[in-house]
Amino acid sequence: DEVPDVQDWVAESVTALAKSARVGGSHRGVTARQATESLMKQLMNPDENLGNVFTEIVPIDRFMGPMKPGQVTLVMAYTSCGKSAYCSSVVTNVATTSAHVRCTGTDERRGCGWKGANPYLKPDADYSCDYRCIKCHGKLIPVAQGVIVFSQEMTPEEYQSRILASYADVEFDKIESGTATKEEWARFTEASQHCAVDHVRIVSDCSTIEEIVSTAHGIAHEMAREGYPLRLVIIDYAQRVRVGNMSGRRMSREEEVAEVGRSVKELATN
């Protein structure tokens, strides 16, 4: 017997699940049937799954794969080993790499709303080709990805300096000490034109996890209205985050760490 085509099998499975889905019942939770149906749809349309985020640092992406929606990634290292520098590089890559595109339609009709992976970033991409929407042949434009950085260590200006240095491929210490060459200063200045974007927010005045969660939700709604889907939230660094004493009960540091971790996970999944 011939082996059935995988996409045909997935399509048949989704159809069968949809037909046999139970109507009514509890509104809480997700059934195994619903979870399977969602999974099958993602397998059928991998380019439309825009939630995954890559660091764009090839060795790390190959080892860890993409950061998925609802996932919390903990970056750990000794003091002064480059944790903040790594995070600023990830912010730069996520904010400036147009990993996804959306259809804006043609001169005759509006876009169909399709979103997918940027075809120009594929290994076999033809840069001379004018890629079009796979559904309506409309024009494709990049989708900006929103990023929020909660910095307990640096002011927004200091953190932005690191982002610019990362984008310009210049050592931050040279910029800070004023020892950069003319060429490096030129690259740093040029980087400011590319990285001065509205879809990266740097917050330095939140000290408790409650403030961070509330601020993140507010900024996420603003970004959604402006057309920037929030893809990444960075807390630099978590050890300095405290828990607001709302109950009046004094908490041990272990309890605080557990509460911070629980709140961060809820923020990621919501």
Side-chain angles (χ1 to χ4, degrees):
D1 295 337
E2 293 184 0
V3 178
D5 182 80
V6 174
Q7 282 205 339
D8 291 342
W9 175 80
V10 171
E12 292 174 2
S13 300
V14 171
T15 302
L17 286 168
K19 288 182 178 179
S20 60
R22 178 171 57 89
V23 178
S26 174
H27 293 286
R28 300 191 62 183
V30 176
T31 67
R33 190 189 311 278
Q34 293 168 330
T36 304
E37 181 178 353
S38 176
L39 172 63
M40 292 302 185
K41 287 182 178 179
Q42 291 179 26
L43 291 174
M44 286 180 65
N45 303 286
D47 283 352
E48 295 187 17
N49 181 21
L50 303 183
N52 294 344
V53 175
F54 289 89
T55 68
E56 304 298 333
I57 302 174
V58 176
I60 293 178
D61 287 339
R62 284 179 176 171
F63 179 73
M64 296 184 58
M67 294 179 282
K68 300 179 180 297
Q71 178 178 323
V72 176
T73 302
L74 184 62
V75 179
M76 302 176 65
Y78 289 111
T79 303
S80 301
C81 283
K83 298 185 296 296
S84 294
Y86 165 75
C87 288
S88 63
S89 296
V90 174
V91 171
T92 305
N93 294 342
V94 172
T96 59
T97 300
S98 302
H100 303 104
V101 291
R102 65 182 177 88
C103 174
T104 59
T106 63
D107 295 336
E108 292 77 23
R109 59 178 180 272
R110 298 176 60 183
C112 66
W114 180 85
K115 296 180 181 179
N118 189 339
Y120 290 101
L121 297 181
K122 295 182 178 180
D124 57 346
D126 180 4
Y127 288 91
S128 63
C129 175
D130 181 20
Y131 287 104
R132 292 281 175 163
C133 174
I134 61 175
K135 290 186 177 180
C136 72
H137 205 61
K139 182 180 179 181
L140 300 176
I141 65 170
V143 177
Q145 302 184 96
V147 181
I148 306 176
V149 178
F150 292 95
S151 176
Q152 303 287 325
E153 287 281 281
M154 294 172 279
T155 65
E157 292 78 13
E158 290 173 323
Y159 206 94
Q160 181 67 6
S161 295
R162 287 183 177 270
I163 293 176
L164 296 178
S166 173
Y167 186 87
D169 195 20
V170 178
E171 292 182 21
F172 177 71
D173 292 340
K174 289 185 176 182
I175 300 297
E176 196 173 32
S177 63
T179 58
T181 64
K182 288 184 178 180
E183 181 186 354
E184 289 171 332
W185 271 111
R187 295 207 307 268
F188 185 82
T189 304
E190 184 181 354
S192 66
Q193 301 174 7
H194 296 277
C195 297
V197 292
D198 293 329
H199 53 276
V200 175
R201 305 287 182 89
I202 305 170
V203 184
S204 61
D205 57 355
C206 292
S207 59
T208 67
I209 188 60
E210 291 84 2
E211 291 175 330
I212 288 175
V213 170
S214 175
T215 302
H217 281 298
I219 294 177
H221 287 304
E222 291 178 13
M223 287 184 171
R225 288 196 300 268
E226 296 168 1
Y228 308 132
L230 178 60
R231 292 287 179 248
L232 182 65
V233 176
I234 290 181
I235 301 176
D236 184 21
Y237 57 94
Q239 187 176 346
R240 288 182 174 271
V241 178
R242 315 300 295 188
V243 175
N245 193 13
M246 296 168 46
S247 63
R249 182 178 67 87
R250 186 172 182 177
M251 302 176 68
S252 67
R253 185 52 185 159
E254 289 77 10
E255 290 176 313
E256 277 196 323
V257 170
E259 179 63 22
V260 169
R262 184 190 66 78
S263 299
V264 169
K265 183 61 179 178
E266 285 186 359
L267 175 62
T269 54
N270 292 331

